[in-house]
Amino acid sequence: MSAYIIRRLLYAIPILIGVNLITFVLFFVVNSPDDMARMQLGDKRVTEDAVQAWKADHGYDRPLLFNADASGAAKLTETIFFQKSAKLFFFDFGTSDSGRDIGYDISQRMWPSLAIALPVLLVGLAINISYALMIVFFRATYIDFGSVVLLVAMMSISGLFYIIGGQFLIGKLFHLVPISGYDTGLDAVKFLILPVIVGVVGGIGTGTRLYRTFFLEEINRDYVRTARAKGLRERVVLFRHVLKNALIPILTGVVAVLPLLFMGALITESFFGIPGLGSYTIDAINRQDFAIVRAMVFLGSVLYILGLILTDISYTMVDPRVRLS
Amino acid sequence: MSMALEVVKWAVRTILRPRRGHITERPRPAKAAQVSCPAGRREPVRLLMSLVALVVTLSMLPGCGEPPWNNPYAARQAGENILYGAFTERPKHLDPVRSYSSNEYAFIAQIYEPPLQYHFLKRPYTLMPLTAEAVPEPTHLDAAGNPLPPDADPDQIAVTEYLIRIKPGIQYQPHPAFARDADGRYLYHDLPAHEIARLNRLADLPQTGTRELTAEDYVYQIKRLAAPWLHSPIAGLMGEHILGFRDFSQRLEDAAPAPVDGERPFFDLRGLDFPGAEVVDRYSWKVRIDGRYPQFVYWLAMPFFAPMPWEAEALTNQRGMEDNNITLDWYPVGTGPFMLAENNPNLRMVLARNPNFHGETYPTEGMPGDAAEGLLADAGKPLPFVDQAVYSLEKESIPYWNKFLQGYYDTSGISSDAFDQAVRFDAAGEAGLTADMQAKGIGLSTAVQTSIWYMGFNMADDVVGGDSERARLLRRAISIAVDFDEFISIFANGRGVQGQGPLPPGIFGHRDGEAGINPYVFDWENGRAQRKSIAEARALMAQAGYRDGRDPETGRPLSLYYEAMDAGPDGKARLNWMRKQFAKLGIELIVRATDYNRFQEKMREGTGQIFMWGWNADYPDPENFFFLLYGPNRKIDGGENAANYSNPELDLLFEEMKNMPDGPERQAVIDRMTEIVRRDAPWSFGFYPESFSLHHQWIGNVKPNLMANNTLKYLRVEPAIREERRAAWNPPVVWPIGAIAVVLAVGAVPAIVIARRRERSAAL
């Protein structure tokens, strides 16, 4: 397994270079270093000298990808792309274009993101699995039919609607929790209730439908027929046998998203005023802060690759038939 | 309350009562049939009754004097003298050398104190001393440095000198930069690398100190403006006016130590001579202006000219500090009424009362009507009135608005979404609050901003630009056709006043009423400005050679290009509206929508044709608007004149006007300039935006002041009223929780029945 993991990690290097390159090209297609300088310096009374000085101070006075004036390897290394990207591979995110230590900011902002994402994942998982099991238990009844209609309807509703609706109902109309905001420590709990509820409810449609499919796939297998033939009750069949086997795709799917929980939710954090990594990324895009954008894309790519490796490993753990080679 | 508790106890007892076969013994399959017997049917019913009881109980809880559950603030803040507000965007800079936007000034203007400020109540906006003893008077000097009389020939004036005397005894806020040991050595100016590596916040340096404000601090800040590595946005402008500024900037560039790992070591600017700013004595300093620049005195009321103690730079410019985010851009240090107690712009920024504040009192005089409105009730009382101001990050307008209505923000703007809910216009067009807002005791403040949104014609363009009569008539016809009154009504909720010239109300030179209308676009009818008819605009088009809007060369409708910066979905309606305005004249408007970066690029290169842009005044002087139409200031030459307009007569008048004191002579020059601009029509004077803001009944001393940024110190809060209103407006409504439980319970009954039936049924 070690060889497999090392090989996968080595594969990640060209992938990360490619992701970096694409991010770089996409970013600079929309924003030039001059635009970035003007964004930092402000709209009013900015002179061309000031723009050039800012670019020089922040290392944006080099060519983007190829330095024709340099010689040898410097043609590639004396470029914005190389200078800004090389350190990322050592997880040195450097400073943002406004002068903040990105690594420190990430370390501070990943916790609020996690504080929402983890409960949403766990509570959502519990509810979705339970609900899916219930539907499967009552398959081919009005409960099944009604639930599927309800789930499809829930899937069809925009996530933004859940957020605004949740804020309106629970925060504004019923006054049960603050509409938005955040705090540190235990004081954060009252702010997390609403986004977690919204996150869980918003995910029920998709999650439950998916898990229902997994369960229905399992319920027609031979071992289930055998279990029933032995006289086991339906509840026992479902909870003891079907659930266990259907958990393999569920578990591997969950493992894949685990590392990404740190990355935060873009819209949710923005609407609820949660100072997580999702809003950090959005703010950076709005401020044309390339240093943060590339750091976040790089981090997201690393975590995604890590998630996929963990998924493979988890397969071997939950299914003895799978071997990594 | 006791009755509610009893009901809760009863409900809990009922729910938890042991039921036959449920806890004590495990039911066997054979006994499952008991479920269908009458006794078994009662189980779900009992459960339902218990739940209903619980719901009833819970719904009674709100009346039990509970504090609001949705209060986003800590319970310990209840009843405290704190002002609550919000900010929608993280301030980019807090260093006064770089900060230049209103969302940044909202914070640093409460902390840093430039020598001057604007009177809180007086209009027109009036400068008054802040840390200075008096508003400085200019002294003119000839080329030899000899003083000239006030009425000296302007050509003789080589240098203008301002002597500023500051009040003695002003102390800085407590700050680690001033902390010293018993021997007088600074504790934190020479920290070892390993200690700096451990720092994450300024508060990690526990010792603080203070010292008296001196003239040296103001001069030090002006020198910082010239430091190239600090990228001050006004360095270019000050380079044109402050004597020797550019040379000094170059000297700094040459003399400053090079950055080490991206961090520039501390470079003490005190020892460097600078003819533009000079310390006279401990409490006096001079600024020298190259020639004349009477508007310079307004800059002395902006944070750019606030004092900066050298000790702050000595602390934050140690190697490693910037890496740890300890910079002057993050931790301001000032002498103002407040200091930044918490800087977490991703969540919250807290201003707390500066214990060393030198003391200032509320104004004793204002405008007629101020006393009647209670704005002089606090006259002479010491400032500031609030102990703390807590600003929370609120990026989205919906939660911001709802939390304001719940009483968790003391003031609020009005977003377009909430406008109809908050404001209504009466038959006379006067804005007022809706009945709901009045019932809540909310107050409305309105003020026409010292800003203008205009539609510009690129004068360097072959079709709409130039000095030809044909182009002039075309521009005038378009100015008539584009109905900004309608624009204000549709897209700004009526929050604006139609523009009649480049000067908005509140700026010297602006004229109201019939004398102030643009006669090329409006007529004065029935006591108000009435836009000329489209027929007149079409007649102008015909005179220009574009009969029915057709280009005589092609015979097809004249095509013009509109450079739009709002390419998003929100801008689509505005762009459609703009097309319709041009279509009134038969002109085909082709919209070139792009992002703001590209828009700015087009403006700099002069490749646009027609566009809309705005300007927000730096200071209340007509120079700050007319310079946008000054020939040498054309955008294509690197200036701010986006229309690239140039008229020799106007340029001469501008040179004359900008150096004149306010008075009839200056008004006459401004009138002439306004007439020239109206005639040439390089702009269609769109509208002057109007700001609408709301405040709760517990906030006092609210008067919009669009020039002053340091108005937090004047605001008063009545925390007791706020607490009472919050409690009344936010009773927790808990019955929906019970209702959901009931729905689930009711839904569970048939499910249980089906489940048991299935368990009993034989396999197929």
Side-chain angles (χ1 to χ4, degrees):
Chain A
M1 190 194 287
S2 312
Y4 174 83
I5 293 171
I6 291 169
R7 196 166 66 241
R8 287 291 301 268
L9 289 174
L10 289 176
Y11 287 162
I13 294 173
I15 293 172
L16 290 172
I17 292 173
V19 167
N20 239 315
L21 187 63
I22 292 169
T23 311
F24 184 84
V25 170
L26 287 177
F27 187 90
F28 282 102
V29 161
V30 180
N31 309 290
S32 68
D34 279 45
D35 297 334
M36 294 164 64
R38 286 177 195 281
M39 178 59 89
Q40 290 297 325
L41 295 171
D43 277 349
K44 291 169 90 173
R45 302 181 186 277
V46 177
T47 61
E48 188 57 29
D49 288 347
V51 170
Q52 297 308 324
W54 186 93
K55 282 162 60 182
D57 262 15
H58 291 80
Y60 289 106
D61 55 342
R62 299 183 177 93
L64 289 176
L65 286 163
F66 184 76
N67 191 342
D69 297 333
S71 57
K75 282 181 185 293
L76 293 176
T77 57
E78 283 303 313
T79 59
I80 296 177
F81 176 70
F82 185 86
Q83 295 291 329
K84 300 286 179 189
S85 303
K87 287 181 181 172
L88 287 178
F89 287 86
F90 302 98
F91 289 92
D92 178 357
F93 298 121
T95 54
S96 68
D97 291 335
S98 57
R100 295 276 304 167
D101 179 2
I102 296 173
Y104 177 77
D105 281 350
I106 290 175
S107 70
Q108 295 294 301
R109 300 186 69 150
M110 69 181 191
W111 300 113
S113 290
L114 208 58
I116 296 182
L118 207 58
V120 168
L121 178 80
L122 296 177
V123 177
L125 208 58
I127 290 177
N128 294 349
I129 290 176
S130 309
Y131 192 17
L133 273 173
M134 191 194 89
I135 296 171
V136 171
F137 185 80
F138 294 110
R139 64 191 174 281
T141 65
Y142 284 114
I143 293 176
D144 182 17
F145 177 74
S147 293
V148 170
V149 170
L150 178 69
L151 294 174
V152 170
M154 290 178 83
M155 284 167 66
S156 311
I157 295 171
S158 151
L160 199 59
F161 180 85
Y162 286 111
I163 292 172
I164 295 173
Q167 287 184 329
F168 178 78
L169 278 178
I170 301 174
K172 188 184 177 188
L173 219 55
F174 301 146
H175 310 134
L176 295 175
V177 290
I179 290 174
S180 66
Y182 192 73
D183 215 330
T184 50
L186 281 178
D187 290 338
V189 173
K190 66 179 175 185
F191 296 103
L192 293 174
I193 293 171
L194 184 52
V196 167
I197 290 174
V198 166
V200 168
V201 172
I204 285 177
T206 317
T208 308
R209 282 261 298 158
L210 180 69
Y211 299 157
R212 175 181 170 273
T213 313
F214 290 157
F215 293 136
L216 285 178
E217 213 169 281
E218 289 296 321
I219 211 154
N220 293 318
R221 293 189 189 269
D222 290 344
Y223 72 87
V224 176
R225 193 176 301 127
T226 309
R228 286 190 187 129
K230 281 169 65 181
L232 292 180
R233 281 176 299 166
E234 189 66 10
R235 266 182 294 176
V236 178
V237 172
L238 271 180
F239 284 93
R240 199 173 290 170
H241 298 282
V242 173
L243 177 60
K244 202 182 282 182
N245 285 288
L247 272 181
I248 295 174
I250 295 174
L251 191 67
T252 48
V254 169
V255 171
V257 299
L258 273 181
L260 292 172
L261 296 182
F262 290 93
M263 297 299 289
L266 304 182
I267 299 176
T268 304
E269 288 183 8
S270 186
F271 265 82
F272 287 106
I274 309 284
L277 288 177
S279 55
Y280 188 53
T281 312
I282 289 277
D283 290 348
I285 293 169
N286 288 337
R287 287 202 309 268
Q288 299 174 15
D289 196 323
F290 175 63
I292 296 175
V293 172
R294 73 178 150 77
M296 291 307 296
V297 172
F298 182 84
L299 190 63
S301 309
V302 169
L303 292 173
Y304 188 70
I305 291 167
L306 191 67
L308 293 178
I309 295 173
L310 286 176
T311 307
D312 289 349
I313 295 170
S314 66
Y315 263 122
T316 64
M317 296 171 81
V318 295
D319 189 346
R321 294 168 299 180
V322 177
R323 291 280 182 274
L324 299 178
S325 59
Chain B
M1 179 74 184
S2 58
M3 185 184 162
L5 278 176
E6 286 305 312
V7 179
V8 169
K9 283 178 189 169
W10 175 80
V12 170
R13 273 200 309 269
T14 313
I15 291 170
L16 297 182
R17 184 182 301 154
R19 275 165 279 168
R20 208 174 22 198
H22 275 237
I23 296 173
T24 53
E25 61 180 2
R26 187 188 175 95
R28 293 178 203 165
K31 288 190 179 177
Q34 288 177 2
V35 176
S36 61
C37 74
R41 274 196 190 126
R42 280 200 296 271
E43 294 282 324
V45 176
R46 187 187 299 157
L47 184 71
L48 266 177
M49 283 180 62
S50 308
L51 279 170
V52 169
L54 193 63
V55 169
V56 171
T57 310
L58 288 173
S59 59
M60 291 169 70
L61 281 178
C64 299
E66 288 273 331
W69 294 4
N70 61 351
N71 186 349
Y73 307 112
R76 63 180 176 278
Q77 292 181 1
E80 294 291 318
N81 185 17
I82 298 173
L83 183 126
Y84 293 99
F87 60 104
T88 55
E89 190 185 350
R90 187 197 124 175
K92 267 191 288 194
H93 301 293
L94 296 178
D95 185 340
V97 86
R98 300 183 68 179
S99 178
Y100 198 13
S101 64
S102 55
N103 70 325
E104 294 159 1
Y105 282 0
F107 299 103
I108 68 165
Q110 325 308 328
I111 299 165
Y112 287 104
E113 290 189 308
L116 307 179
Q117 64 179 336
Y118 290 95
H119 196 284
F120 178 50
L121 299 173
K122 283 185 182 172
R123 302 291 181 275
Y125 296 107
T126 309
L127 282 175
M128 61 178 283
L130 180 53
T131 59
E133 295 277 12
V135 177
E137 291 295 329
T139 305
H140 300 305
L141 308 174
D142 63 16
N146 301 313
L148 293 166
D151 57 348
D153 179 2
D155 292 338
Q156 278 190 297
I157 299 172
V159 172
T160 303
E161 201 172 79
Y162 292 91
L163 175 65
I164 298 119
R165 295 182 200 283
I166 58 168
K167 297 167 190 164
I170 296 173
Q171 298 285 318
Y172 279 99
Q173 66 177 78
H175 194 279
F178 304 117
R180 299 187 193 219
D181 62 16
D183 298 328
R185 286 190 297 263
Y186 287 102
L187 281 174
Y188 303 126
H189 285 199
D190 191 21
L191 290 169
H194 68 273
E195 275 193 37
I196 292 177
R198 284 208 304 267
L199 303 176
N200 283 316
R201 301 168 303 144
L202 198 64
D204 293 336
L205 301 171
Q207 302 294 321
T208 61
T210 185
R211 74 156 168 83
E212 189 185 26
L213 172 74
T214 65
E216 175 77 65
D217 302 331
Y218 283 99
V219 173
Y220 195 87
Q221 169 70 357
I222 297 175
K223 290 175 178 175
R224 291 182 81 235
L225 290 173
W229 57 87
L230 290 175
H231 305 295
S232 177
I234 63 162
L237 178 76
M238 290 303 141
E240 294 170 14
H241 296 296
I242 296 181
L243 189 68
F245 190 93
R246 285 184 180 141
D247 289 343
F248 184 69
S249 185
Q250 187 58 52
R251 277 170 52 209
L252 287 181
E253 177 85 81
D254 298 338
V260 180
D261 291 336
E263 292 187 54
R264 193 174 290 271
F266 174 53
F267 182 43
D268 194 345
L269 306 177
R270 285 177 299 167
L272 300 170
D273 291 332
F274 175 30
E278 193 178 88
V279 175
V280 176
D281 58 39
R282 185 173 174 81
Y283 302 115
S284 309
W285 52 286
K286 280 180 182 173
V287 184
R288 294 193 183 90
I289 300 298
D290 196 2
R292 288 188 299 168
Y293 182 36
Q295 289 74 30
F296 179 75
V297 73
Y298 292 114
W299 288 99
L300 293 176
M302 293 174 76
F304 288 115
F305 288 86
M308 179 59 70
W310 68 270
E311 294 94 332
E313 277 209 327
L315 173 77
T316 57
N317 284 30
Q318 293 176 80
R319 193 174 169 192
M321 285 288 194
E322 192 179 333
D323 265 355
N324 289 354
N325 300 323
I326 298 177
T327 66
L328 275 174
D329 220 16
W330 200 259
Y331 294 104
V333 47
T335 58
F338 296 95
M339 54 187 192
L340 195 58
E342 183 180 344
N343 182 13
N344 184 357
N346 309 311
L347 176 63
R348 181 174 50 230
M349 296 182 77
V350 178
L351 293 168
R353 187 190 284 265
N354 172 10
N356 299 339
F357 184 51
H358 51 86
E360 193 185 346
T361 53
Y362 191 87
T364 52
E365 52 184 354
M367 300 300 292
D370 283 350
E373 289 179 26
L375 287 167
L376 288 172
D378 286 322
K381 291 183 181 168
L383 300 174
F385 292 123
V386 299
D387 295 332
Q388 234 181 56
V390 176
Y391 296 95
S392 306
L393 179 63
E394 204 69 74
K395 288 182 184 171
E396 303 295 336
S397 60
I398 296 173
Y400 188 165
W401 174 245
N402 287 331
K403 282 163 84 173
F404 169 71
L405 292 182
Q406 290 177 336
Y408 295 123
Y409 291 133
D410 297 333
T411 58
S412 170
I414 313 174
S415 69
S416 298
D417 299 334
F419 192 82
D420 291 339
Q421 191 186 341
V423 178
R424 59 174 173 75
F425 287 94
D426 61 18
E430 288 295 313
L433 288 167
T434 58
D436 285 350
M437 297 297 116
Q438 288 175 12
K440 277 181 169 274
I442 289 171
L444 170 70
S445 302
T446 66
V448 179
Q449 296 177 23
T450 47
S451 310
I452 183 168
W453 270 98
Y454 60 89
M455 190 171 74
F457 302 98
N458 180 6
M459 298 299 278
D461 181 77
D462 291 338
V463 180
V464 299
D467 193 34
S468 68
E469 190 62 13
R470 186 186 196 196
R472 193 174 291 120
L473 291 171
L474 174 63
R475 293 194 295 268
R476 278 191 216 155
I478 293 171
S479 299
I480 293 171
V482 180
D483 185 352
F484 278 103
D485 198 28
E486 191 179 280
F487 184 93
I488 295 165
S489 173
I490 296 174
F491 300 109
N493 300 108
R495 285 175 285 187
V497 176
Q498 285 194 101
Q500 302 290 344
L503 300 180
I507 302 292
F508 180 82
H510 172 87
R511 285 189 183 274
D512 283 321
E514 187 173 2
I517 67 162
N518 178 358
Y520 297 95
V521 178
F522 293 91
D523 293 317
W524 189 258
E525 291 175 6
N526 304 322
R528 62 190 292 264
Q530 188 71 42
R531 188 171 288 272
K532 287 179 187 290
S533 69
I534 286 295
E536 286 184 67
R538 288 192 183 129
L540 291 175
M541 289 287 287
Q543 282 181 51
Y546 301 107
R547 187 169 297 282
D548 297 327
R550 292 187 176 269
D551 187 342
E553 290 176 14
T554 62
R556 303 187 54 179
L558 175 65
S559 294
L560 295 179
Y561 295 92
Y562 181 74
E563 314 300 335
M565 60 177 113
D566 45 1
D570 289 347
K572 197 173 175 185
R574 273 192 291 272
L575 297 178
N576 285 337
W577 177 86
M578 193 61 86
R579 280 194 198 95
K580 284 179 188 166
Q581 303 304 303
F582 280 74
K584 291 177 193 169
L585 301 175
I587 297 172
E588 181 192 29
L589 188 71
I590 299 166
V591 174
R592 294 195 289 209
T594 182
D595 59 46
Y596 190 53
N597 290 333
R598 299 287 79 73
F599 174 81
Q600 284 181 302
E601 194 176 301
K602 284 181 187 174
M603 293 298 106
R604 284 196 299 274
E605 293 170 355
T607 54
Q609 197 173 53
I610 302 171
F611 59 90
M612 267 195 83
W613 219 349
W615 181 260
N616 192 18
D618 291 310
Y619 42 80
D621 191 272
E623 181 267 352
N624 198 231
F625 285 90
F626 275 110
F627 93 112
L628 299 170
L629 294 157
Y630 180 52
N633 193 32
R634 295 193 310 170
K635 198 83 178 172
I636 48 177
D637 299 326
E640 296 288 350
N641 174 356
N644 299 306
Y645 174 62
S646 179
N647 181 306
E649 187 189 356
L650 184 103
D651 294 347
L652 282 174
L653 289 169
F654 176 79
E655 290 290 345
E656 187 185 347
M657 179 275 293
K658 73 176 187 179
N659 292 316
M660 294 171 80
D662 289 351
E665 287 180 15
R666 198 181 198 205
Q667 180 69 59
V669 174
I670 290 170
D671 288 344
R672 176 64 193 147
M673 293 172 75
T674 305
E675 163 57 22
I676 292 170
V677 177
R678 284 171 177 166
R679 186 197 65 212
D680 285 351
W683 290 1
S684 170
F685 310 102
F687 63 100
Y688 316 122
E690 203 170 355
S691 73
F692 280 44
S693 65
L694 301 174
H695 57 272
H696 282 295
Q697 56 190 284
W698 53 81
I699 296 293
N701 299 335
V702 178
K703 180 169 181 174
N705 187 320
L706 302 169
M707 280 296 138
N709 299 298
N710 59 345
T711 53
L712 174 62
K713 61 189 172 188
Y714 303 111
L715 293 181
R716 175 180 280 287
V717 176
E718 300 295 342
I721 299 175
R722 179 169 58 196
E723 288 305 312
E724 185 261 319
R725 289 290 83 202
R726 279 182 182 174
W729 291 343
N730 299 287
V733 182
V734 292
W735 63 261
I737 300 173
I740 292 170
V742 169
V743 168
L744 289 176
V746 170
V749 173
I752 293 168
V753 172
I754 294 173
R756 297 205 168 173
R757 195 178 296 155
R758 281 198 168 191
E759 299 256 308
R760 289 198 317 275
S761 64
L764 292 172

